[in-house]
Amino acid sequence: SSAIAINSPTDHSYTNPHVSNVYIESCSFRGFCTAINAFGVKNLNVSKSSFTGNFYYPGLNAGGYGINLSTCYDTTISYNNFLATKTDRHAIYVSMHVRNKIPQSKNIQLLFNNIDWSISRDMNHFEAALVSRCVDGLVVNGNKIKSGYNSIVLNTENGDT
């Protein structure tokens, strides 16, 4: 389950995103598989919100994300608070949708977020606070990250979301 799910058709592209100009501000998210799940969104802005207590489902090999971006464009995630519990997996996960024609996420900014990921449980050795897979133009600036396993993982492999 997601608190907010934003989905474009799989034929979207940077020049034809189908869904654009989405603003999420001053919200509190707790107890979801993924708090915000965005696929194919251009100009998504998430700010001044809090994320904690989301759930990873081992049987589905999914969830435990604060924010999951899959083939998104011109996105800014800023001034948010992320606090891991034993059930959280990643604060922010940036990926690509392999069924999309142009699958890379593009121009993603992660700015001035406060991320305390020191308590996340090591479920499968991938409980990094921030994960980025195959992104064209990633900016990580001014974030405060406290992590018990990994702070930031950058990977050029295709995403599987």
Side-chain angles (χ1 to χ4, degrees):
S1 67
S2 297
I4 298 174
I6 310 160
N7 295 300
S8 268
T10 57
D11 68 341
H12 72 271
S13 67
Y14 184 74
T15 57
N16 184 26
H18 296 294
V19 177
S20 61
N21 300 320
V22 177
Y23 295 84
I24 299 167
E25 185 175 308
S26 301
C27 296
S28 180
F29 299 95
R30 182 183 188 95
F32 296 93
C33 180
T34 301
I36 297 175
N37 198 5
F39 168 60
V41 181
K42 185 173 183 179
N43 196 22
L44 170 65
N45 290 278
V46 180
S47 65
K48 301 176 187 171
S49 295
S50 63
F51 301 81
T52 190
N54 294 300
F55 291 90
Y56 173 69
Y57 293 97
L60 298 174
N61 194 28
Y65 301 156
I67 299 172
N68 181 34
L69 304 175
S70 184
T71 310
C72 289
Y73 317 106
D74 301 337
T75 295
T76 302
I77 309 297
S78 61
Y79 298 98
N80 297 290
N81 289 304
F82 298 86
L83 176 62
T85 65
K86 292 187 292 184
T87 61
D88 285 288
R89 191 171 178 200
H90 305 297
I92 302 169
Y93 189 88
V94 183
S95 187
M96 58 183 276
H97 199 288
V98 295
R99 292 185 301 260
N100 192 48
K101 293 177 186 175
I102 304 170
Q104 281 185 308
S105 288
K106 186 172 182 173
N107 301 330
I108 306 295
Q109 296 187 82
L110 309 176
L111 308 173
F112 304 103
N113 296 289
N114 184 22
I115 303 169
D116 183 347
W117 225 244
S118 58
I119 198 171
S120 71
R121 192 175 72 206
D122 183 16
M123 290 177 255
N124 60 10
H125 303 287
F126 295 107
E127 282 59 55
L130 303 176
V131 177
S132 173
R133 297 177 68 149
C134 203
V135 176
D136 178 8
L138 174 69
V139 174
V140 179
N141 185 39
N143 296 282
K144 180 180 176 186
I145 303 172
K146 181 179 178 185
S147 183
Y149 186 72
N150 282 318
S151 295
I152 301 172
V153 173
L154 303 175
N155 191 330
T156 59
E157 292 179 7
N158 293 345
D160 54 4
T161 59

